Amino acid sequence: MELIALSSPDKNKKETDIIQELLEAGLSSYHLRKPGFSHQQIREILDDVDPGMRKRIVLHSFPELASKYSLKGVHLGSSYHKPGLVSQTRRHFMALRYGDFERTITCHSLERLRTTKKGFSALVLSPVFNTISDHNISSGFDEKSIRVTLKQIALPVYALGGIDERTIIQARDMGFSGVVLQGALWRQHHDPLETFVTIRQALRNSVRESSPLSVVKPAVRSA
């Protein structure tokens, strides 16, 4: 199971140190999402990351930098979900231009997850559990519907929203290919590296333990 981190949207002077510590500790990839950051500000972060680590970074803005810095991939915005010829052409163009890169997009419904296929190499479903970073955002998916839908999707699907040392086991057992960690990493007074190690260890321990962790049930939402 892949363990992915989504950056805090805020400015952090220790960003590059955190990126490298997490990747060195076994993180699969780091999604760099900084709304409002300029092209230059994103470049400054990437410039400070060890070149050997950049191949595991996915950008949420300025996708042209993926080629310049030999990154892992790009994450596309919700506008690429829109129906119609224009969006279809944009997806086709992105698939051609960034065919050698991972191309991901977030889906907020199971129906969208089932219909989003062409132009992407992986999908993110959110929020699978009630979010940690924003208490106003609640999950509305039921576990049975998620399990059924994931079996219909040929692409890897990652779970985002409310992932911690308890829910990561459930996400794995539901059939997700990986999880995206965000709120658990960036909670105030928490060390992102220490939190990551705790979550990873919970996943490893679950393989050896016969008794399951306590279950956190998502609320029911229609597909």
Side-chain angles (χ1 to χ4, degrees):
M1 176 176 240
E2 291 189 60
L3 302 183
I4 300 163
L6 177 59
S7 71
S8 165
D10 304 319
K11 188 174 183 179
N12 190 331
K13 293 181 179 180
K14 297 182 179 180
E15 183 96 36
T16 53
D17 292 336
I18 293 172
I19 292 173
Q20 298 198 166
E21 287 176 351
L22 290 172
L23 292 175
E24 288 171 358
L27 187 75
S28 300
S29 59
Y30 189 92
H31 279 233
L32 186 60
R33 178 182 177 272
K34 296 291 183 181
F37 270 44
S38 67
H39 188 275
Q40 181 59 33
Q41 286 175 304
I42 297 296
R43 289 189 59 176
E44 288 173 358
I45 294 175
L46 296 174
D47 284 337
D48 287 339
V49 176
D50 184 277
M53 296 287 187
R54 293 174 187 163
K55 61 184 178 181
R56 288 153 69 189
I57 293 179
V58 175
L59 277 184
H60 282 234
S61 58
F62 309 111
E64 66 277 5
L65 293 178
S67 299
K68 179 177 177 59
Y69 286 90
S70 300
L71 304 182
K72 181 176 183 177
V74 295
H75 186 88
L76 305 179
S78 59
S79 62
Y80 283 85
H81 277 309
K82 293 180 179 179
L85 183 59
V86 174
S87 292
Q88 183 179 341
T89 301
R90 291 180 69 205
R91 289 194 294 269
H92 181 68
F93 173 75
M94 290 294 291
L96 288 176
R97 183 175 181 182
Y98 298 99
D100 295 331
F101 296 88
E102 180 178 271
R103 301 174 310 284
T104 62
I105 193 167
T106 301
C107 301
H108 296 290
S109 73
L110 297 181
E111 178 61 27
R112 181 59 56 82
L113 196 67
R114 286 189 288 265
T115 57
T116 303
K117 300 175 183 178
K118 295 183 179 179
F120 304 101
S121 54
L123 306 173
V124 177
L125 180 65
S126 173
V128 174
F129 302 101
N130 294 345
T131 63
I132 298 168
S133 56
D134 190 335
H135 296 294
N136 294 321
I137 301 179
S138 300
S139 169
F141 300 110
D142 69 277
E143 186 171 327
K144 181 179 180 181
S145 296
I146 290 177
R147 288 176 179 271
V148 171
T149 301
L150 291 180
K151 290 178 181 179
Q152 302 170 354
I153 310 298
L155 298 176
V157 181
Y158 306 129
L160 169 63
I163 304 297
D164 58 19
E165 62 271 18
R166 298 175 303 155
T167 57
I168 188 172
I169 314 304
Q170 293 172 245
R172 180 203 61 193
D173 292 345
M174 280 191 278
F176 286 99
S177 300
V179 295
V180 183
L181 308 173
Q182 185 184 26
L185 293 181
W186 308 113
R187 283 181 289 190
Q188 191 174 15
H189 307 307
H190 280 235
D191 179 353
L193 178 60
E194 182 179 336
T195 301
F196 170 72
V197 171
T198 298
I199 294 173
R200 183 190 60 188
Q201 193 59 46
L203 183 63
R204 291 177 175 177
N205 290 344
S206 72
V207 177
R208 299 190 294 266
E209 293 177 353
S210 57
S211 59
L213 297 177
S214 59
V215 174
V216 179
K217 293 184 178 180
V220 177
R221 174 193 292 175
S222 62

